[in-house]
């Protein structure tokens, strides 16, 4: 006696946990945020311009699941996101410090008024500086987030502004000279420098010097128009190299001059 099947191939017997409308041309799709070791059943079907649905093909009883060894940790959000507009050349200058991750950051997604820019995550000084053309006298929103190789995404950081703001002088920032880098208590160093003219913001880059004299990837801070800052997480038995440069609204910078402490 044959047992009658209650369902047939391609029939959904329960509400789906997720439906995705995909209109791309690639013959593949990546599902994110899957639960490790939990089984999933995937159906695919087409819909034409009149709303007629095709037959639902599926994974032929081969269940997929997220690997328990996949990276599930999100990168930290990018830091110190700033933007300034150049009325001379019509460009928006976007600046942000890098995120950190338990593995590495693969790339950053920057959105400027719904225009998406992809940037690789290997700048020289530990930050990104992006120049993007933008019309005059309009508001703008800049958003950025980091993505690691397993497609984990950091939180989105956003700022708002308008291109009608008065920008800074076209003159490049004056060179900085660090007056003092003094170690203080609680793994902190107090850094002071001379005032930098024509700068919209400041970039402070400090490198850890290894035992063989090489320097590691720097930590980078931004500041307004101050003449001092506290550097945190300074190891008392390590040597550091530090420099301060100014950045104006056109992306021009002063000359890097390092000191060691």
């Amino acid at each position: 006696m044959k047992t009658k099947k209650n369902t047939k191939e391609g029939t959904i017997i329960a509400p789906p946990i997720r439906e995705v409308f995909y209109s791309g041309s690639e013959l593949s799709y990546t599902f994110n945020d899957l639960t490790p070791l939990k089984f999933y059943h995937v159906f695919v079907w087409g819909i034409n311009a009149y709303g007629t649905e095709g037959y639902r093909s599926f994974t032929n009883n081969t269940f997929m699941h997220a690997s328990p060894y996949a990276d599930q940790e999100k990168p930290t959000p990018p830091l110190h996101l700033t933007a300034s507009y150049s009325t001379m050349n019509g460009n928006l200058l976007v600046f942000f410090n890098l995120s950190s991750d338990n593995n590495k950051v693969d790339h950053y997604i920057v959105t400027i008024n719904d225009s998406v820019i992809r940037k690789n995550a290997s700048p020289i000084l530990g930050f990104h500086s992006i120049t993007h053309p933008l019309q005059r006298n309009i508001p703008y929103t800049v958003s950025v987030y980091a993505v690691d190789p397993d497609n984990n995404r950091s939180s989105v950081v956003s700022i708002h502004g308008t291109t009608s703001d008065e920008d800074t002088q076209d003159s490049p920032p004056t060179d900085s000279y660090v007056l003092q880098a003094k170690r203080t208590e609680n793994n902190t160093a107090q850094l002071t420098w001379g005032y930098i003219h024509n700068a919209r913001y400041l970039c402070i880059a400090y490198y850890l010097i290894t035992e063989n004299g090489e320097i590691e990837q720097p930590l980078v801070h931004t500041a307004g128009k101050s003449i001092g800052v506290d550097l945190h997480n300074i190891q008392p038995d390590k040597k550091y190299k530090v420099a301060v440069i100014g950045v104006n609204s056109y992306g021009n910078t002063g000359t890097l001059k390092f000191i060691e402490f």
Side-chain angles (χ1 to χ4, degrees):
M1 180 178 178
K2 295 183 178 180
T3 303
K4 184 178 180 181
K5 294 183 179 179
N6 293 326
T7 61
K8 63 179 181 179
E9 288 188 354
T11 299
I12 297 177
I13 61 175
I17 62 171
R18 188 188 310 176
E19 284 187 334
V20 178
F21 179 76
Y22 175 65
S23 60
S25 58
E26 298 293 332
L27 300 180
S28 63
Y29 184 85
T30 300
F31 288 92
N32 301 316
D33 303 321
L34 298 181
T35 303
L37 298 181
K38 183 175 182 179
F39 291 98
Y40 294 87
H41 210 158
V42 180
F43 289 80
V44 180
W45 67 97
I47 305 175
N48 66 13
Y50 300 97
T52 304
E53 298 185 10
Y55 183 78
R56 298 171 187 250
S57 60
F58 67 118
T59 53
N60 195 26
N61 288 326
T62 301
F63 293 94
M64 69 175 185
H65 63 81
S67 170
Y69 307 106
D71 181 12
Q72 303 291 320
E73 184 174 332
K74 297 180 180 180
T76 62
L79 297 175
H80 308 118
L81 175 63
T82 61
S84 56
Y85 187 70
S86 165
T87 57
M88 177 175 292
N89 53 32
N91 288 331
L92 185 70
L93 175 68
V94 178
F95 176 98
F96 60 91
N97 290 161
L98 300 189
S99 302
S100 62
D101 188 63
N102 62 322
N103 183 6
K104 65 178 181 178
V105 174
D106 182 73
H107 63 275
Y108 293 86
I109 297 296
V110 180
T111 301
I112 304 174
N113 286 358
D114 298 325
S115 176
V116 178
I117 303 171
R118 173 175 172 148
K119 298 292 293 187
N120 292 331
S122 55
I124 298 175
L125 284 176
F127 63 87
H128 274 307
S129 181
I130 303 167
T131 302
H132 183 71
L134 212 59
Q135 294 179 342
R136 287 286 305 277
N137 299 318
I138 62 170
Y140 64 81
T141 299
V142 178
S143 299
V144 59
Y145 61 89
V147 185
D148 70 11
D150 289 293
N151 209 36
N152 298 309
R153 300 181 179 184
S154 72
S155 301
V156 178
V157 180
S158 300
I159 58 172
H160 308 277
T162 173
T163 58
S164 60
D165 290 342
E166 182 181 358
D167 61 3
T168 56
Q169 300 95 326
D170 191 29
S171 302
T174 55
D175 293 341
S176 70
Y177 54 96
V178 176
L179 298 178
Q180 189 178 45
K182 181 181 178 181
R183 296 175 186 264
T184 57
E185 297 179 352
N186 301 320
N187 293 339
T188 302
Q190 188 178 61
L191 182 68
T192 56
W193 60 87
Y195 184 80
I196 301 175
H197 296 270
N198 306 327
R200 174 64 66 92
Y201 52 86
L202 304 176
C203 172
I204 302 109
Y206 57 106
Y207 300 78
L208 175 64
I209 303 177
T210 61
E211 293 181 355
N212 58 3
E214 297 179 354
I215 57 176
E216 295 184 352
Q217 184 75 9
L219 301 174
V220 182
H221 289 182
T222 56
K225 297 181 179 180
S226 60
I227 57 172
V229 70
D230 287 336
L231 305 179
H232 300 282
N233 300 320
I234 298 298
Q235 302 177 43
D237 58 341
K238 300 293 183 181
K239 291 183 179 180
Y240 292 84
K241 251 186 174 182
V242 63
V244 182
I245 57 173
V247 184
N248 71 3
S249 63
Y250 303 103
N252 295 323
T253 63
T255 304
L256 279 171
K257 295 182 178 180
F258 290 98
I259 67 166
E260 293 186 13
F261 69 93

